[in-house]
Amino acid sequence: MARESRLDAPGRSTARPRTTSRDRFGRFTEWVARAMGTPAFLVILSLFCVVWIVWNTLMPEELRFDDAALGFTALTLMLSLQASYAAPLILLAQNRQDDRDRVQIEQDRQRAERNLADTEYLAREIVALRMALEERNSQTVTRDVLRQELKTLLAELEDTDDRASGGAAS
């Protein structure tokens, strides 16, 4: 009995074919690019070539599979095949890195714009606070100034009283 896919029932439909993820392939290309750029890869490839050449040079004729007289044609073809696949995989990995760099640059630009806007806002707030403090300081009367003003007023009142009492006595 074949199971039919129903839209009203929970569960996973098996009718759809699974698609491979582009991200998985992208990660694979980056792994290849990273692996080919290591000293270990170069050492292993060099050892492979040396073993191939030594085997096909020093072994008896019936055990050789690549002829030195023909310039190790099979080895040349294998290395060409490896290079023909390596170059596009490395380019794909570089394109993927470029895309990530582009996204990172855009995020950095947006972060810098937000930081600039925040800094400008804070600068305006600091200026407003300074102006408010200066205004308040200019309106604030110190005790010494107040005492001096009161003494001056008191002296003027005494002079006025003295004149009024002197004018009334005469």
Side-chain angles (χ1 to χ4, degrees):
M1 203 173 172
R3 181 177 174 199
E4 293 181 26
S5 110
R6 295 183 50 186
L7 296 177
D8 63 342
R12 194 167 197 193
S13 171
T14 57
R16 277 185 287 156
R18 289 182 60 121
T19 58
T20 59
S21 171
R22 290 180 56 186
D23 193 49
R24 187 179 306 149
F25 184 71
R27 285 193 308 266
F28 170 73
T29 62
E30 288 175 343
W31 175 82
V32 168
R34 274 193 305 275
M36 288 185 158
T38 62
F41 175 79
L42 295 175
V43 168
I44 291 170
L45 185 62
S46 299
L47 286 175
F48 174 79
C49 291
V50 167
V51 168
W52 183 290
I53 291 170
V54 168
W55 180 277
N56 288 299
T57 304
L58 300 178
M59 294 305 279
E61 281 290 329
E62 58 273 358
L63 294 177
R64 295 181 191 173
F65 51 87
D66 197 8
D67 193 8
L70 296 175
F72 299 108
T73 307
L75 177 63
T76 304
L77 288 173
M78 285 185 58
L79 293 175
S80 296
L81 181 66
Q82 181 269 334
S84 68
Y85 276 99
L89 289 175
I90 291 170
L91 288 174
L92 286 171
Q94 287 176 342
N95 289 342
R96 194 171 146 88
Q97 183 62 44
D98 289 344
D99 291 343
R100 273 199 307 272
D101 290 345
R102 208 171 291 115
V103 167
Q104 184 64 41
I105 288 169
E106 178 63 24
Q107 289 173 347
D108 289 346
R109 186 189 61 75
Q110 290 172 354
R111 191 176 304 115
E113 285 178 357
R114 283 193 307 268
N115 288 342
L116 180 62
D118 290 346
T119 304
E120 288 174 349
Y121 170 76
L122 290 173
R124 285 192 302 270
E125 289 297 311
I126 289 172
V127 167
L129 285 171
R130 282 185 179 166
M131 290 174 62
L133 283 174
E134 286 176 8
E135 185 178 316
R136 180 156 188 192
N137 286 340
S138 66
Q139 293 175 353
T140 302
V141 178
T142 63
R143 282 186 281 187
D144 294 336
V145 172
L146 187 59
R147 277 190 195 125
Q148 188 61 36
E149 289 293 321
L150 287 173
K151 284 180 186 178
T152 305
L153 283 174
L154 189 59
E156 285 178 13
L157 283 174
E158 286 176 359
D159 285 347
T160 306
D161 283 346
D162 287 345
R163 276 190 239 142
S165 63
S170 21

